[in-house]
Amino acid sequence: MGFLFIRLYSYTLRKHPLKTNMVTTGTVFFLGDVLSQQIVLKKGNEHDLERTARSVAMGSCFSTPLALMLYNLADRIFGRAKTPLNSVRKIGLLSLFSPFNNSCYIACNNLLRGNVSGTETLNQITETVPGIVLASWSVWVPTSFVLFIAVPLRHRVFVSNLVGVLWTGYLTHATNPDNAGDHNVSSSSRE
């Protein structure tokens, strides 16, 4: 059964890479937000469905195209050779995009929440992005090293999504202003 799923997924990924990755990433963001709300916040029946829907939309429509673009850009600039030096170069390139990526995530999420205040969004970015970027680097640098050494390009988004379930749980929790009383996002300890 598992082997059949992998074959079907691989076939679908080859035929429709963007659509397949959008569905997969949307599922990861769904699971990550549910993890954040149910396990961390213990919301139970008070689950914020709008927040979960925003998370799925952000994963599918923002994170997926950006990740595919960055992985393709890294391969075009540095080639597809799976050497440690090449992997370090690609990780460096992707790390440079982390502040931009996370700032855009917060801005888009605020727009989806109906918060169009540029000042409030800028304040949230200023307060949270440095801590999120440090946490991002601690999770994604080792993950990316493995991705670039061992994972074919077409499977990178899927493999990163496996790690992404936990990361997305953290990210949706850290970037949701309603969680401000739970912990200080910018100075809390990171994984």
Side-chain angles (χ1 to χ4, degrees):
M1 181 74 161
F3 182 70
L4 179 62
F5 171 77
I6 291 170
R7 286 183 59 200
L8 179 62
Y9 177 80
S10 292
Y11 172 79
T12 307
L13 187 59
R14 273 191 310 278
K15 294 293 183 184
H16 308 284
L18 180 60
K19 290 177 191 175
T20 304
N21 281 312
M22 288 175 77
V23 169
T24 305
T25 305
T27 302
V28 166
F29 272 67
F30 171 82
L31 293 172
D33 190 65
V34 168
L35 175 79
S36 171
Q37 289 193 54
Q38 295 302 318
I39 294 176
V40 177
L41 297 176
K42 299 180 183 353
K43 285 194 170 190
N45 292 335
E46 300 297 317
H47 188 91
D48 184 349
L49 294 175
E50 286 182 22
R51 174 180 150 170
T52 301
R54 280 192 311 272
S55 184
V56 170
M58 290 294 297
S60 296
C61 300
F62 172 75
S63 294
T64 298
L66 182 63
L68 287 172
M69 181 195 71
L70 290 175
Y71 288 145
N72 284 318
L73 177 65
D75 273 3
R76 269 190 251 128
I77 291 172
F78 300 114
R80 294 183 184 223
K82 294 180 181 181
T83 64
L85 178 60
N86 208 23
S87 295
V88 169
R89 290 176 180 152
K90 290 177 182 181
I91 291 166
L93 175 68
L94 295 179
S95 294
L96 292 175
F97 281 99
S98 184
F100 170 77
N101 182 25
N102 288 300
S103 297
C104 288
Y105 180 89
I106 290 169
C108 290
N109 195 32
N110 282 349
L111 285 172
L112 289 174
R113 282 183 29 249
N115 176 6
V116 292
S117 166
T119 304
E120 188 177 319
T121 297
L122 186 58
N123 288 340
Q124 185 184 5
I125 289 170
T126 303
E127 285 180 21
T128 60
V129 167
I132 291 171
V133 167
L134 291 176
S136 170
W137 289 342
S138 70
V139 171
W140 293 110
V141 167
T143 301
S144 295
F145 189 77
V146 171
L147 285 175
F148 290 125
I149 289 287
V151 180
L153 178 61
R154 73 174 185 266
H155 293 293
R156 287 183 191 154
V157 172
F158 176 74
V159 173
S160 67
N161 280 338
L162 296 177
V163 175
V165 171
L166 295 176
W167 172 253
T168 303
Y170 165 77
L171 185 64
T172 61
H173 184 76
T175 59
N176 190 330
D178 298 335
N179 300 333
D182 293 333
H183 68 285
N184 184 342
V185 173
S186 61
S187 63
S188 65
S189 62
R190 304 288 184 239
E191 298 173 357

